[in-house]
Amino acid sequence: MRAPGKCPRLIQITFQKGIYLPEIDLWLDPPHSRQKAFISHAHSDHVGRHREVICTRLTQNLMNLRNAAGRRTQFSDLEYGQTLQLSGFELTALSAGHIMGSAMLHVRRIRDGASLLYTGDYKLRAGLTGQPAELKEADTLIMETTFGLRKYVFPTAAEVTRMIGDFVSKTFTEGGVPILLGYSLGKAQEIVAALRGIQNPVMLHPHIEKVSALLAPHLGPMPEIRAWDECNPRGHVLVLPPHVPQIQSLKEKFKCKVAMVSGWGLDPSAKYRYRTDEVFPLSDHADYPQLIETVERVKPKIIYTVHGFTREFAADLRAKGLDARALGQEEQLDLSL
Ligand SMILES: [Zn+2]
């Protein structure tokens, strides 16, 4: 197998407490504060207080809303399909389909056309909100593999929407209050979109309401939203982030049924782990077939896997004759290729 990174045509990458492109002096979603970084999306494990940040305007607005940028951070907007020239390279943002504002980064070295695609978090399946992902061929593919095991095959968004609708109807019929749990940014908006066909109004926890208000112009038609009032939840569908203290008190005072919304719902033990009545597998990540499809469509010469089942997925790709390498946590500490 060709030694990874030795081919002179490939764009140089180093992995040292983050992914770094030395030819452009650019970090990709670095976990520590850096001079210049591309931020793929506004989830807390991808943002940081860097001096210069390249991201979409929506990601910038979400970072500012959550106070996740440094006071002196300088932002460069890069919208889907737009290209920025930097140190002899072209940087193009592509929709990642993960959450609102999420972007992949396609990098092309102008002098010889060598290319790289960094996916960040992504999914290919059309979500209920936001734009679908767009892929582009590249010599080097750095991809997330959160659900990189064969057993992770998600149902369609329409199927999960039906499951959520059935859960809500059954809970009301039994005289209870349905509670749906999802992270404030991304999943909560998908949950609310899944409730579009529900007759009852929806109450959003204030953390979710704050994010949803910023995203409202991009979300399309929504069910009726009422102001949060945890003393009078009857007749409403409640959407809360996981782990907020109100969940327990609501369960004690009212006849609540609680469902987590997460891709990990595919694991049979998920509802015991989350201590909920149900878990619905609506994910904002790619499942295994989508990960394979990504490799087939990008046609890379070399693949690096990050996040989740990196080793397992890279091994599956090697079994197909591809040059794939896992980038695990310990490798990120000090690995230069
Ligand atoms: Zn994310």
Side-chain angles (χ1 to χ4, degrees), residues 18 23 26 35 75 152 173 181 210 233 256 290 315 318 332:
E23 292 166 89
L26 180 70
Q35 176 64 32
F75 284 96
Y152 291 120
T173 303
L181 305 180
K210 186 173 141 188
C256 295
Q290 290 173 36
R318 286 197 298 275
Q332 283 190 47

Side-chain angles (χ1 to χ4, degrees), residues 122-335:
Y122 79 105
K123 71 174 180 297
L124 298 183
R125 169 183 68 74
L128 300 169
T129 57
Q131 286 185 234
E134 186 189 349
L135 294 173
K136 194 169 177 179
E137 290 185 13
D139 302 321
T140 302
L141 173 62
I142 305 173
M143 65 188 298
E144 66 111 341
T145 54
T146 302
F147 289 98
L149 296 183
R150 284 171 200 277
K151 67 177 181 177
Y152 291 120
V153 182
F154 296 134
T156 64
E159 285 173 274
V160 185
T161 298
R162 199 159 44 241
M163 291 179 207
I164 292 174
D166 291 347
F167 166 79
V168 167
S169 303
K170 187 162 180 281
T171 305
F172 280 133
T173 303
E174 293 169 355
V177 175
I179 294 182
L180 295 162
L181 305 180
Y183 292 102
S184 305
L185 170 55
K187 191 58 62 67
Q189 290 75 40
E190 289 276 298
I191 293 171
V192 176
L195 297 170
R196 280 170 184 152
I198 303 279
Q199 299 301 317
N200 298 67
V202 175
M203 271 190 199
L204 302 179
H205 184 275
H207 290 174
I208 294 173
E209 204 285 325
K210 186 173 141 188
V211 176
S212 296
L214 188 148
L215 296 174
H218 310 277
L219 292 175
M222 289 283 134
E224 182 186 349
I225 308 287
R226 296 251 179 95
W228 178 255
D229 179 1
E230 62 196 64
C231 296
N232 295 292
R234 292 209 183 281
H236 298 79
V237 184
L238 273 51
V239 184
L240 288 86
H243 315 304
V244 291
Q246 287 96 333
I247 299 168
Q248 196 51 42
S249 58
L250 283 163
K251 277 168 71 174
E252 285 166 10
K253 289 182 196 161
F254 304 95
K255 208 174 151 191
C256 295
K257 288 273 184 201
V258 183
M260 178 74 181
V261 181
S262 165
W264 299 112
L266 289 180
D267 286 332
S269 63
K271 69 179 178 183
Y272 304 107
R273 197 154 24 102
Y274 290 121
R275 298 180 183 184
T276 55
D277 299 298
E278 298 288 346
V279 185
F280 297 120
L282 186 70
S283 179
D284 43 23
H285 290 271
D287 65 2
Y288 190 89
Q290 290 173 36
L291 295 174
I292 294 290
E293 181 186 339
T294 302
V295 175
E296 289 171 353
R297 287 171 57 189
V298 175
K299 301 183 173 64
K301 295 184 174 75
I302 186 161
I303 301 122
Y304 296 109
T305 56
V306 292
H307 303 305
F309 294 100
T310 54
R311 286 176 180 76
E312 293 85 347
F313 191 72
D316 284 359
L317 294 181
R318 286 197 298 275
K320 292 173 179 284
L322 295 162
D323 191 348
R325 178 161 191 157
L327 178 62
Q329 286 301 110
E330 59 289 325
E331 289 168 307
Q332 283 190 47
L333 292 176
D334 187 15
L335 173 65

Side-chain angles (χ1 to χ4, degrees), residues 89-151:
F89 286 74
E90 286 177 348
L91 275 53
T92 306
L94 303 171
S95 172
H98 174 57
I99 61 167
M100 308 289 284
S102 64
M104 301 189 188
L105 187 68
H106 189 274
V107 181
R108 181 177 170 274
R109 193 163 54 208
I110 295 169
R111 70 176 152 81
D112 62 3
S115 56
L116 175 150
L117 181 68
Y118 170 66
T119 65
D121 289 352
Y122 79 105
K123 71 174 180 297
L124 298 183
R125 169 183 68 74
L128 300 169
T129 57
Q131 286 185 234
E134 186 189 349
L135 294 173
K136 194 169 177 179
E137 290 185 13
D139 302 321
T140 302
L141 173 62
I142 305 173
M143 65 188 298
E144 66 111 341
T145 54
T146 302
F147 289 98
L149 296 183
R150 284 171 200 277
K151 67 177 181 177

